[in-house]
Amino acid sequence: MITSAQIKNLLERVGKLKTYLEIENKLITISNEEEKAANPNFWNDPKKAEILMKSLRVTKKWVSDYNQVKANAEDVQVLYEFYKEDEATEDDVINQFNSTLAFLESLEFKNMLSEEGDNMSAVLQITAGAGGTESCDWAQMLMRMYIMWSEKQGFKVKELNYQAGDAAGIKTVTIEIDGEYAFGYLKGENGVHRLVRISPFDSNAKRHTSFASVYVYPLADDSINIEINPADITWDFARSGGAGGQNVNKVETKAILRHKPSGIMIANSETRSQLKNREKAMQMLKSQLYEIELQKQNAERDDIESSKMKIDFGSQIRNYVMHPYKLVKDVRTGYETGNVDAVMDGDLDAFIKAYLMKN
């Protein structure tokens, strides 16, 4: 049964959350921004207006979520009093307490995502390391893991570029994960992921070690202004891979963009339209350049090259061991779990939270 001490602790955490979220300051900000939006000339500059309106929506959401969790916590207290008078059941109190606690923890978690770019959607690129079919298969397993995690969050996933392995799996894949705070949640996934298992491709059933790298960056939207000199980019076009059809493999719709100053190369084959693929490639380039600027500001990396660690021993951020025992361990935070199957099915929240708490 839930105790009065647990309810007291819950109410105290809600009270502290009000301070952490600076609710009073947010109410002042909402009032000021609504006053600006009421100006008849507000929409004369649509881009500037939309940026302000987006900021206003985010601020209002924080306030409404806080008010909701506060009301839920007060309901727990009322239900507990009813329970003591035999006017509510034990299950009523437990259910209300657990749902309120989960909501509170989600807000506390989201409050850790306060750096610039954290609230944006994400682009996630997975690249197989040395090791041929083994690593390509591992890269595909990671892709499935991140897609399942994204779907559990209610995020939309879109495949932007896909290069299949020679025999199985994938050499590299780029997916867009569309959802609020997707980048903030996933930014700690940057690095090399190491797998140890009995290979399904080895007839001798020997243990193999495979590597794949994950690179995550925020998807820049219209509120981000990144200037790119047309002279700094070059374009190439190729036939898209796929199962074939009237257009696939016949028309050069795959757009390959190279940015000379940074050395960034973007390949996009999302649609059968070369024009749309060019536009998406430009957005992805702006996103990567924006992420480089964020990293400079946050002093997390000197430049983009530091994220491209050699994909082998000594550079991994997380180990996934399936044999001779089962264990997933993050080498940066020390967090680990023996439930490998759940992790591979997208249960990553504990690893994400441990990274954010550490940083």
Side-chain angles (χ1 to χ4, degrees):
M1 178 55 193
I2 303 300
T3 66
S4 58
Q6 288 176 292
I7 295 173
K8 181 182 177 182
N9 177 260
L10 180 71
L11 292 168
E12 287 175 352
R13 283 174 66 178
V14 171
K16 289 178 181 178
L17 184 65
K18 182 178 182 180
T19 303
Y20 298 150
L21 297 182
E22 300 180 327
I23 294 299
E24 297 301 330
N25 289 340
K26 282 181 168 59
L27 290 171
I28 294 171
T29 299
I30 290 170
S31 178
N32 291 338
E33 292 185 347
E34 285 182 335
E35 187 175 335
K36 291 178 184 177
N39 189 310
N41 300 320
F42 177 70
W43 287 99
N44 288 352
D45 186 342
K47 188 172 182 179
K48 185 178 178 181
E50 183 52 45
I51 292 172
L52 187 142
M53 293 304 294
K54 181 178 179 180
S55 172
L56 180 59
R57 287 193 294 270
V58 171
T59 307
K60 282 185 170 182
K61 183 70 164 59
W62 277 115
V63 173
S64 65
D65 282 350
Y66 168 75
N67 288 335
Q68 184 63 59
V69 78
K70 181 174 180 286
N72 290 357
E74 290 170 350
D75 287 346
V76 173
Q77 192 174 32
V78 171
L79 272 174
Y80 184 69
E81 294 301 323
F82 283 168
Y83 166 73
K84 290 194 294 185
E85 300 294 330
D86 290 328
E87 294 179 12
T89 67
E90 182 177 332
D91 284 345
D92 290 336
V93 181
I94 292 173
N95 292 337
Q96 181 67 25
F97 179 88
N98 288 339
S99 63
T100 302
L101 181 61
F103 188 24
L104 172 62
E105 289 181 342
S106 72
L107 291 179
E108 291 173 335
F109 190 15
K110 189 182 290 186
N111 188 47
M112 290 188 280
L113 306 175
S114 57
E115 293 180 351
E116 185 179 350
D118 279 355
N119 64 328
M120 293 183 174
S121 295
V123 177
L124 186 146
Q125 181 178 319
I126 304 170
T127 305
T133 301
E134 291 290 338
S135 292
C136 289
D137 188 54
W138 173 225
Q140 187 161 43
M141 291 166 67
L142 286 174
M143 176 184 174
R144 175 183 176 275
M145 179 183 78
Y146 287 116
I147 289 175
M148 292 188 73
W149 175 85
S150 301
E151 290 173 345
K152 289 176 181 178
Q153 310 306 310
F155 296 159
K156 295 179 181 178
V157 179
K158 187 190 302 179
E159 187 179 293
L160 302 180
N161 189 53
Y162 184 98
Q163 185 178 353
D166 294 332
I170 54 177
K171 290 181 179 178
T172 184
V173 66
T174 304
I175 57 176
E176 177 184 325
I177 300 173
D178 182 16
E180 191 177 21
Y181 290 95
F183 173 69
Y185 289 126
L186 291 171
K187 62 185 179 182
E189 297 300 299
N190 268 323
V192 177
H193 297 243
R194 172 177 174 255
L195 171 69
V196 179
R197 65 169 176 173
I198 296 294
S199 170
F201 305 101
D202 187 340
S203 58
N204 295 318
K206 291 183 178 180
R207 191 171 62 180
H208 285 252
T209 300
S210 308
F211 300 90
S213 70
V214 174
Y215 176 42
V216 186
Y217 55 93
L219 182 65
D221 57 22
D222 291 339
S223 67
I224 305 301
N225 186 26
I226 301 290
E227 296 294 336
I228 298 176
N229 186 344
D232 289 340
I233 62 175
T234 59
W235 290 98
D236 289 302
F237 302 95
R239 296 178 182 180
S240 297
Q246 291 185 338
N247 191 41
V248 176
N249 296 324
K250 296 182 180 179
V251 181
E252 293 185 338
T253 58
K254 181 176 183 176
I256 304 169
L257 168 63
R258 291 178 174 84
H259 184 245
K260 299 172 189 174
S262 65
I264 293 173
M265 186 190 81
I266 303 290
N268 186 64
S269 54
E270 176 188 356
T271 72
R272 295 187 180 185
S273 165
Q274 186 186 102
L275 177 61
K276 289 182 178 179
N277 288 340
R278 281 172 61 110
E279 291 174 348
K280 191 66 176 186
M282 280 297 293
Q283 184 188 21
M284 292 165 69
L285 173 61
K286 288 181 179 180
S287 298
Q288 287 202 30
L289 293 175
Y290 174 61
E291 196 262 351
I292 293 173
E293 288 304 311
L294 290 183
Q295 298 295 1
K296 287 178 181 177
Q297 292 171 17
N298 297 331
E300 293 176 2
R301 294 191 298 208
D302 292 333
D303 55 39
I304 198 170
E305 289 305 316
S306 60
S307 74
K308 299 177 180 177
M309 298 179 290
K310 189 177 180 182
I311 309 177
D312 61 9
F313 288 98
S315 58
Q316 64 266 16
I317 64 161
R318 192 175 300 145
N319 295 320
Y320 304 72
V321 182
M322 298 183 180
H323 186 85
Y325 52 86
K326 288 184 176 291
L327 180 72
V328 181
K329 181 173 182 177
D330 195 293
V331 300
R332 302 161 303 175
T333 64
Y335 181 82
E336 62 183 52
T337 176
N339 196 347
V340 178
D341 292 340
V343 173
M344 297 313 301
D345 285 341
D347 189 1
L348 296 174
D349 284 351
F351 288 96
I352 291 170
K353 188 170 185 178
Y355 175 81
L356 292 173
M357 292 286 284
K358 180 178 174 62
N359 288 276

